[in-house]
Amino acid sequence: GMITPAISVLSAVEGLKLATPVFVPYVVPITIAVLVALFAAQRRGTAGIGAVFGPVMILWFLTIGGLGLSWLLRDPHVLVALAPTYAVRFFLDNGLHAFFTLGAVFLVVTGAEALYADMGHFGRRPIRVAWFVLVLPALVLNYLGQGALLVQQPAAADNPFYRMAPAWALYPLVALATAAAVIASQALISGAFSLTRQAVQLGFTPRLSIVHTSEEEIGQIYIPAVNWLLMIASIGLVLGFRESTRLAAAYGIAVTLAMVITTNLAYAIARSHWGLRRRAALPLFLVFLVIDLAFVCANVLKIADGGWFPLAVGLSVYTLMSTWKRGRQLLAERLARGAVPFEKFVETIQPGSPPRVPGTAVFMSRDPQATPAALLHNLKHNKVLHERVVLLTLLTEEVPAVDPEDRVEVTELGKGFYRLCARYGFLQHPGVPDVVERARDKGLDLQPMQTTFFLSRETLIPSRKRGMAVWRERLFWLMARNSLRPTDFFRIPPNRVVELGMQIRL
């Protein structure tokens, strides 16, 4: 997500250098301007401009295929490159040098894995049709055309793609390539938003502000913090590497390792969901793993030239996510250690003791079986309970979505106490207004002006107790401090909220 906008836009704008040397000092500034415009437009959503993405990409692939075909017709002999015997002979003649050449040519396949990643949105058939009817033929024709060009004009090796175009078509081709680069970057940015939301819902990252940019499409979201982080990182990469060929090292390492991870995840799915036995699944996925690992090893030499960047980013993100996940587990353990089962708490309540006041109190709790600390604090200090007390728990299931009819469950415990559990998938955004509306259908009517929401505000204190290293506890404290407030994340009316503070030693 950081590298794709930088390398794709930079490589597209670099075509201007071929038109005239005057543009050489302006390639990086123009690239940065395009990136700033791209990320600044994210808050408006993609619903309006998404309609032009398809036609632009069709024009792009037809153009690059046509350019390749024009040169292929000039030298059809390059078609012999399709014979695998040439690849075998190349490896036999060049040995280890040929193996590391895989790292140099790896970028020709880096778009394929992004295409099948969209099967979740479009299904198998559209992806297959797009690949075999348009994308694959256009790419093969373009690469064969570049080969034909280099056979006739070896000096064109500095930028064979743009060298295929006639002089009059260079500026339109740069504009079209930039548009295609922006669309490719848009797909990665949207994917980063989607993955971040899933990480938040599954408890791997702190709560972040999530803005829905479309009333019709649930998947169209905008996360300001992620957007500006990606923009700063992309611009930093452009300023640091300054050439797309230098950025290719970082891109190659990122994609090869992502492919290895994908293969391992596919094996896990085959074993756990498809029911394949190990002796059937292992040989099948070892074939893919051997290919992936070959590309990884071929790209190892690029680590010093920029491949260190995705490794450093990956390690940093993993540290943050694992720290947040572990910190939440420790926090839950500390809270559960002295927690009172909610049913037992209800049993201790007698008529008139404690006094009951009009209205409804909703206490949010991570554990639907435990009595919230905010409820105990409120009773301890205010000596009263509301006529109706609702224990609200918002749970994220490890499924993309939960059906509306199964989303809310209401349990009446007697004496004016209720347990309200709302379940959402990791692609859905939980919100109190939605829960209140669905609880009404289940017989629990929460009148907005007669309902008060009680939340616990935990002050975390790092300590040397067993659990995490002190530096990770401080990191968790910092992440928790900058996490979005529950009232904003769950869309609770701020004028109906009471927060009760407590200190917890990690």
Side-chain angles (χ1 to χ4, degrees), residues 75-100:
D75 192 350
H77 182 68
V78 296
L79 287 171
V80 298
L82 296 175
T85 53
Y86 283 89
V88 174
R89 186 184 305 170
F90 180 75
F91 274 87
L92 292 176
D93 293 342
N94 296 279
L96 190 62
H97 178 73
F99 176 76
F100 286 113

mmCIF file of all heavy atoms in Angstrom, residues 75-100:
data_model
loop_
_atom_site.group_PDB
_atom_site.id
_atom_site.type_symbol
_atom_site.label_atom_id
_atom_site.label_comp_id
_atom_site.label_asym_id
_atom_site.label_seq_id
_atom_site.Cartn_x
_atom_site.Cartn_y
_atom_site.Cartn_z
ATOM 1 N N ASP A 75 9.010 -7.862 -36.193
ATOM 2 C CA ASP A 75 10.010 -8.920 -35.977
ATOM 3 C C ASP A 75 9.327 -10.121 -35.322
ATOM 4 O O ASP A 75 9.489 -10.372 -34.116
ATOM 5 C CB ASP A 75 11.146 -8.405 -35.102
ATOM 6 C CG ASP A 75 12.346 -9.352 -35.088
ATOM 7 O OD1 ASP A 75 12.215 -10.482 -35.607
ATOM 8 O OD2 ASP A 75 13.402 -8.969 -34.557
ATOM 9 N N PRO A 76 8.531 -10.911 -36.070
ATOM 10 C CA PRO A 76 7.798 -12.041 -35.488
ATOM 11 C C PRO A 76 8.696 -13.125 -34.911
ATOM 12 O O PRO A 76 8.226 -13.989 -34.171
ATOM 13 C CB PRO A 76 6.988 -12.579 -36.676
ATOM 14 C CG PRO A 76 6.987 -11.478 -37.689
ATOM 15 C CD PRO A 76 8.275 -10.750 -37.487
ATOM 16 N N HIS A 77 9.985 -13.075 -35.223
ATOM 17 C CA HIS A 77 10.886 -14.119 -34.749
ATOM 18 C C HIS A 77 10.939 -14.196 -33.218
ATOM 19 O O HIS A 77 11.269 -15.250 -32.654
ATOM 20 C CB HIS A 77 12.292 -13.886 -35.309
ATOM 21 C CG HIS A 77 13.270 -14.949 -34.905
ATOM 22 N ND1 HIS A 77 13.193 -16.255 -35.361
ATOM 23 C CD2 HIS A 77 14.346 -14.900 -34.053
ATOM 24 C CE1 HIS A 77 14.172 -16.963 -34.818
ATOM 25 N NE2 HIS A 77 14.890 -16.167 -34.027
ATOM 26 N N VAL A 78 10.597 -13.100 -32.533
ATOM 27 C CA VAL A 78 10.665 -13.115 -31.069
ATOM 28 C C VAL A 78 9.631 -14.065 -30.468
ATOM 29 O O VAL A 78 9.700 -14.378 -29.276
ATOM 30 C CB VAL A 78 10.466 -11.707 -30.483
ATOM 31 C CG1 VAL A 78 11.577 -10.769 -30.909
ATOM 32 C CG2 VAL A 78 9.111 -11.146 -30.855
ATOM 33 N N LEU A 79 8.680 -14.561 -31.269
ATOM 34 C CA LEU A 79 7.689 -15.514 -30.759
ATOM 35 C C LEU A 79 8.345 -16.801 -30.278
ATOM 36 O O LEU A 79 7.756 -17.531 -29.474
ATOM 37 C CB LEU A 79 6.648 -15.827 -31.838
ATOM 38 C CG LEU A 79 5.635 -14.705 -32.136
ATOM 39 C CD1 LEU A 79 4.800 -15.047 -33.368
ATOM 40 C CD2 LEU A 79 4.727 -14.493 -30.924
ATOM 41 N N VAL A 80 9.570 -17.081 -30.762
ATOM 42 C CA VAL A 80 10.241 -18.302 -30.301
ATOM 43 C C VAL A 80 10.549 -18.223 -28.813
ATOM 44 O O VAL A 80 10.829 -19.243 -28.178
ATOM 45 C CB VAL A 80 11.538 -18.550 -31.104
ATOM 46 C CG1 VAL A 80 11.231 -18.756 -32.584
ATOM 47 C CG2 VAL A 80 12.534 -17.409 -30.914
ATOM 48 N N ALA A 81 10.478 -17.002 -28.223
ATOM 49 C CA ALA A 81 10.725 -16.855 -26.787
ATOM 50 C C ALA A 81 9.680 -17.583 -25.953
ATOM 51 O O ALA A 81 9.903 -17.860 -24.773
ATOM 52 C CB ALA A 81 10.751 -15.378 -26.407
ATOM 53 N N LEU A 82 8.520 -17.916 -26.573
ATOM 54 C CA LEU A 82 7.479 -18.642 -25.847
ATOM 55 C C LEU A 82 7.864 -20.097 -25.601
ATOM 56 O O LEU A 82 7.268 -20.752 -24.753
ATOM 57 C CB LEU A 82 6.157 -18.579 -26.624
ATOM 58 C CG LEU A 82 5.553 -17.178 -26.789
ATOM 59 C CD1 LEU A 82 4.314 -17.243 -27.682
ATOM 60 C CD2 LEU A 82 5.197 -16.588 -25.437
ATOM 61 N N ALA A 83 8.841 -20.602 -26.328
ATOM 62 C CA ALA A 83 9.260 -21.992 -26.152
ATOM 63 C C ALA A 83 10.037 -22.130 -24.849
ATOM 64 O O ALA A 83 11.014 -21.399 -24.618
ATOM 65 C CB ALA A 83 10.116 -22.444 -27.329
ATOM 66 N N PRO A 84 9.659 -23.041 -23.951
ATOM 67 C CA PRO A 84 10.364 -23.184 -22.665
ATOM 68 C C PRO A 84 11.805 -23.653 -22.808
ATOM 69 O O PRO A 84 12.585 -23.524 -21.869
ATOM 70 C CB PRO A 84 9.512 -24.213 -21.915
ATOM 71 C CG PRO A 84 8.760 -24.945 -22.968
ATOM 72 C CD PRO A 84 8.535 -23.976 -24.085
ATOM 73 N N THR A 85 12.172 -24.190 -23.968
ATOM 74 C CA THR A 85 13.553 -24.673 -24.144
ATOM 75 C C THR A 85 14.559 -23.534 -24.008
ATOM 76 O O THR A 85 15.683 -23.748 -23.554
ATOM 77 C CB THR A 85 13.698 -25.334 -25.515
ATOM 78 O OG1 THR A 85 13.240 -24.416 -26.536
ATOM 79 C CG2 THR A 85 12.869 -26.618 -25.589
ATOM 80 N N TYR A 86 14.155 -22.314 -24.381
ATOM 81 C CA TYR A 86 15.081 -21.182 -24.266
ATOM 82 C C TYR A 86 15.349 -20.858 -22.798
ATOM 83 O O TYR A 86 16.474 -20.520 -22.420
ATOM 84 C CB TYR A 86 14.506 -19.963 -24.996
ATOM 85 C CG TYR A 86 14.651 -20.046 -26.496
ATOM 86 C CD1 TYR A 86 13.677 -20.641 -27.275
ATOM 87 C CD2 TYR A 86 15.790 -19.546 -27.124
ATOM 88 C CE1 TYR A 86 13.815 -20.731 -28.657
ATOM 89 C CE2 TYR A 86 15.941 -19.624 -28.507
ATOM 90 C CZ TYR A 86 14.949 -20.228 -29.267
ATOM 91 O OH TYR A 86 15.103 -20.317 -30.624
ATOM 92 N N ALA A 87 14.320 -20.941 -21.977
ATOM 93 C CA ALA A 87 14.512 -20.688 -20.545
ATOM 94 C C ALA A 87 15.412 -21.745 -19.925
ATOM 95 O O ALA A 87 16.311 -21.434 -19.130
ATOM 96 C CB ALA A 87 13.161 -20.658 -19.837
ATOM 97 N N VAL A 88 15.173 -23.018 -20.305
ATOM 98 C CA VAL A 88 16.005 -24.103 -19.774
ATOM 99 C C VAL A 88 17.452 -23.905 -20.190
ATOM 100 O O VAL A 88 18.389 -24.042 -19.383
ATOM 101 C CB VAL A 88 15.468 -25.465 -20.256
ATOM 102 C CG1 VAL A 88 16.414 -26.584 -19.826
ATOM 103 C CG2 VAL A 88 14.067 -25.709 -19.709
ATOM 104 N N ARG A 89 17.660 -23.580 -21.468
ATOM 105 C CA ARG A 89 19.029 -23.379 -21.953
ATOM 106 C C ARG A 89 19.678 -22.190 -21.261
ATOM 107 O O ARG A 89 20.878 -22.220 -20.932
ATOM 108 C CB ARG A 89 19.006 -23.166 -23.464
ATOM 109 C CG ARG A 89 20.408 -23.092 -24.088
ATOM 110 C CD ARG A 89 20.318 -22.780 -25.570
ATOM 111 N NE ARG A 89 19.460 -23.746 -26.251
ATOM 112 C CZ ARG A 89 19.051 -23.583 -27.510
ATOM 113 N NH1 ARG A 89 19.398 -22.505 -28.193
ATOM 114 N NH2 ARG A 89 18.272 -24.494 -28.069
ATOM 115 N N PHE A 90 18.903 -21.138 -21.006
ATOM 116 C CA PHE A 90 19.443 -19.959 -20.327
ATOM 117 C C PHE A 90 19.945 -20.318 -18.934
ATOM 118 O O PHE A 90 21.025 -19.875 -18.520
ATOM 119 C CB PHE A 90 18.356 -18.880 -20.256
ATOM 120 C CG PHE A 90 18.791 -17.609 -19.569
ATOM 121 C CD1 PHE A 90 19.632 -16.710 -20.201
ATOM 122 C CD2 PHE A 90 18.375 -17.328 -18.272
ATOM 123 C CE1 PHE A 90 20.038 -15.546 -19.568
ATOM 124 C CE2 PHE A 90 18.771 -16.168 -17.633
ATOM 125 C CZ PHE A 90 19.608 -15.273 -18.283
ATOM 126 N N PHE A 91 19.189 -21.152 -18.228
ATOM 127 C CA PHE A 91 19.606 -21.560 -16.875
ATOM 128 C C PHE A 91 20.814 -22.486 -16.932
ATOM 129 O O PHE A 91 21.715 -22.395 -16.090
ATOM 130 C CB PHE A 91 18.446 -22.234 -16.148
ATOM 131 C CG PHE A 91 17.523 -21.272 -15.453
ATOM 132 C CD1 PHE A 91 16.461 -20.687 -16.130
ATOM 133 C CD2 PHE A 91 17.729 -20.927 -14.137
ATOM 134 C CE1 PHE A 91 15.625 -19.796 -15.497
ATOM 135 C CE2 PHE A 91 16.894 -20.030 -13.485
ATOM 136 C CZ PHE A 91 15.843 -19.461 -14.167
ATOM 137 N N LEU A 92 20.848 -23.361 -17.908
ATOM 138 C CA LEU A 92 21.993 -24.287 -18.018
ATOM 139 C C LEU A 92 23.268 -23.544 -18.367
ATOM 140 O O LEU A 92 24.352 -23.883 -17.876
ATOM 141 C CB LEU A 92 21.697 -25.358 -19.063
ATOM 142 C CG LEU A 92 20.587 -26.364 -18.708
ATOM 143 C CD1 LEU A 92 20.335 -27.315 -19.879
ATOM 144 C CD2 LEU A 92 20.945 -27.160 -17.461
ATOM 145 N N ASP A 93 23.151 -22.526 -19.202
ATOM 146 C CA ASP A 93 24.349 -21.809 -19.649
ATOM 147 C C ASP A 93 24.844 -20.790 -18.622
ATOM 148 O O ASP A 93 26.051 -20.517 -18.549
ATOM 149 C CB ASP A 93 24.064 -21.084 -20.973
ATOM 150 C CG ASP A 93 23.824 -22.051 -22.120
ATOM 151 O OD1 ASP A 93 24.204 -23.241 -21.975
ATOM 152 O OD2 ASP A 93 23.244 -21.641 -23.148
ATOM 153 N N ASN A 94 23.927 -20.226 -17.820
ATOM 154 C CA ASN A 94 24.324 -19.122 -16.945
ATOM 155 C C ASN A 94 24.294 -19.453 -15.459
ATOM 156 O O ASN A 94 24.734 -18.641 -14.645
ATOM 157 C CB ASN A 94 23.413 -17.917 -17.210
ATOM 158 C CG ASN A 94 23.569 -17.369 -18.607
ATOM 159 O OD1 ASN A 94 24.486 -16.608 -18.899
ATOM 160 N ND2 ASN A 94 22.676 -17.766 -19.509
ATOM 161 N N GLY A 95 23.734 -20.604 -15.085
ATOM 162 C CA GLY A 95 23.791 -21.070 -13.709
ATOM 163 C C GLY A 95 23.205 -20.097 -12.707
ATOM 164 O O GLY A 95 22.078 -19.625 -12.848
ATOM 165 N N LEU A 96 24.015 -19.764 -11.672
ATOM 166 C CA LEU A 96 23.532 -18.915 -10.581
ATOM 167 C C LEU A 96 23.132 -17.532 -11.069
ATOM 168 O O LEU A 96 22.180 -16.935 -10.558
ATOM 169 C CB LEU A 96 24.623 -18.802 -9.507
ATOM 170 C CG LEU A 96 24.199 -18.139 -8.188
ATOM 171 C CD1 LEU A 96 23.102 -18.933 -7.507
ATOM 172 C CD2 LEU A 96 25.416 -17.979 -7.266
ATOM 173 N N HIS A 97 23.851 -17.039 -12.069
ATOM 174 C CA HIS A 97 23.511 -15.721 -12.615
ATOM 175 C C HIS A 97 22.090 -15.732 -13.190
ATOM 176 O O HIS A 97 21.337 -14.761 -13.024
ATOM 177 C CB HIS A 97 24.507 -15.328 -13.695
ATOM 178 C CG HIS A 97 24.210 -14.012 -14.336
ATOM 179 N ND1 HIS A 97 24.419 -12.807 -13.709
ATOM 180 C CD2 HIS A 97 23.689 -13.708 -15.563
ATOM 181 C CE1 HIS A 97 24.051 -11.823 -14.505
ATOM 182 N NE2 HIS A 97 23.607 -12.337 -15.643
ATOM 183 N N ALA A 98 21.727 -16.809 -13.857
ATOM 184 C CA ALA A 98 20.376 -16.916 -14.408
ATOM 185 C C ALA A 98 19.341 -16.955 -13.289
ATOM 186 O O ALA A 98 18.244 -16.393 -13.417
ATOM 187 C CB ALA A 98 20.270 -18.164 -15.278
ATOM 188 N N PHE A 99 19.678 -17.621 -12.165
ATOM 189 C CA PHE A 99 18.742 -17.697 -11.048
ATOM 190 C C PHE A 99 18.441 -16.318 -10.489
ATOM 191 O O PHE A 99 17.274 -15.969 -10.244
ATOM 192 C CB PHE A 99 19.315 -18.608 -9.958
ATOM 193 C CG PHE A 99 18.459 -18.682 -8.727
ATOM 194 C CD1 PHE A 99 17.295 -19.421 -8.719
ATOM 195 C CD2 PHE A 99 18.815 -18.001 -7.571
ATOM 196 C CE1 PHE A 99 16.489 -19.494 -7.589
ATOM 197 C CE2 PHE A 99 18.029 -18.066 -6.429
ATOM 198 C CZ PHE A 99 16.864 -18.810 -6.447
ATOM 199 N N PHE A 100 19.480 -15.513 -10.313
ATOM 200 C CA PHE A 100 19.242 -14.178 -9.769
ATOM 201 C C PHE A 100 18.580 -13.250 -10.790
ATOM 202 O O PHE A 100 18.049 -12.202 -10.417
ATOM 203 C CB PHE A 100 20.550 -13.568 -9.268
ATOM 204 C CG PHE A 100 21.031 -14.178 -7.976
ATOM 205 C CD1 PHE A 100 22.187 -14.939 -7.924
ATOM 206 C CD2 PHE A 100 20.302 -14.003 -6.811
ATOM 207 C CE1 PHE A 100 22.615 -15.505 -6.743
ATOM 208 C CE2 PHE A 100 20.722 -14.573 -5.620
ATOM 209 C CZ PHE A 100 21.883 -15.329 -5.587
#
